[in-house]
Amino acid sequence: MGIEANFKMSEINSYLQGKVKMLDELMIRNLNFLGMECVNLAKSLDTYTDRTGNLRNSIGYVVVKHGNVISSKFEAGQRGPEFDSKEVPGERVGENFAKEIAKNFQVGYALIVVAGMEYASYIEDVKHLDVIAPAKSLANVRIKQVAQSIVNSMRKAQ
């Protein structure tokens, strides 16, 4: 007479797959929320004059899972008086830039928040005007809170 299991391995696999799915959904939902927070903060800054609207419109984010863009948020806002309709709009420049960066994140999850216009760093580094730096600071603080929230949610779901 031996010890017999009163469970099936398929039940354990099913339980574990459910936990993985829950973790995946929590990660994506929380990264999207954090991305929106960062974008809203960056777009609300009034430290520079956006003559075309392209710089502010190029601010957005992508959520990446194992190298694949799961979601993104880039929106056309108000155009400035010097906007040239023959140019590629800022929101497309920003999204293309973020998707290019996303290729570097082949393992795990990533939130990529960008100001996609090539002169964004010049405005911050040379002109010392905030474009996306406060959003970066917010993300660095909030990501720890997001991680703890996910851990707490997973513990409660046991």
Side-chain angles (χ1 to χ4, degrees), residues 71-120:
S71 57
S72 66
K73 185 83 166 172
F74 287 85
E75 294 180 331
Q78 192 170 10
R79 303 287 185 205
E82 296 178 29
F83 177 72
D84 181 356
S85 61
K86 295 176 185 128
E87 295 178 48
V88 178
E91 61 276 10
R92 275 201 286 158
V93 172
E95 188 166 19
N96 291 340
F97 180 52
K99 286 180 176 178
E100 192 63 34
I101 293 170
K103 294 176 184 176
N104 297 319
F105 295 90
Q106 294 298 311
V107 178
Y109 298 85
L111 169 64
I112 300 167
V113 181
V114 300
M117 300 309 289
E118 67 278 356
Y119 51 86

Side-chain angles (χ1 to χ4, degrees), residues 7-146:
F7 58 86
K8 296 176 185 163
M9 282 305 291
S10 62
E11 292 171 345
I12 293 174
N13 287 337
S14 178
Y15 173 80
L16 292 174
Q17 288 300 320
K19 293 297 181 185
V20 168
K21 184 178 180 196
M22 176 188 276
L23 178 61
D24 182 61
E25 290 169 356
L26 284 168
M27 287 293 294
I28 292 168
R29 185 173 353 133
N30 280 281
L31 290 176
N32 271 301
F33 186 78
L34 180 56
M36 285 188 280
E37 282 185 304
C38 291
V39 168
N40 289 340
L41 173 61
K43 285 188 171 191
S44 72
L45 299 173
D46 194 23
T47 60
Y48 57 91
T49 302
D50 194 359
R51 291 181 176 87
T52 63
N54 281 336
L55 180 55
R56 194 161 275 111
N57 289 337
S58 76
I59 297 171
Y61 74 90
V62 295
V63 173
V64 181
K65 176 184 171 188
H66 305 308
N68 298 309
V69 173
I70 301 299
S71 57
S72 66
K73 185 83 166 172
F74 287 85
E75 294 180 331
Q78 192 170 10
R79 303 287 185 205
E82 296 178 29
F83 177 72
D84 181 356
S85 61
K86 295 176 185 128
E87 295 178 48
V88 178
E91 61 276 10
R92 275 201 286 158
V93 172
E95 188 166 19
N96 291 340
F97 180 52
K99 286 180 176 178
E100 192 63 34
I101 293 170
K103 294 176 184 176
N104 297 319
F105 295 90
Q106 294 298 311
V107 178
Y109 298 85
L111 169 64
I112 300 167
V113 181
V114 300
M117 300 309 289
E118 67 278 356
Y119 51 86
S121 62
Y122 173 82
I123 291 172
E124 283 199 328
D125 298 339
V126 176
K127 297 289 187 176
H128 304 291
L129 301 172
D130 288 331
V131 176
I132 201 166
K136 178 182 176 186
S137 297
L138 173 67
N140 286 333
V141 169
R142 290 276 298 124
I143 195 66
K144 294 172 187 162
Q145 296 167 347
V146 166

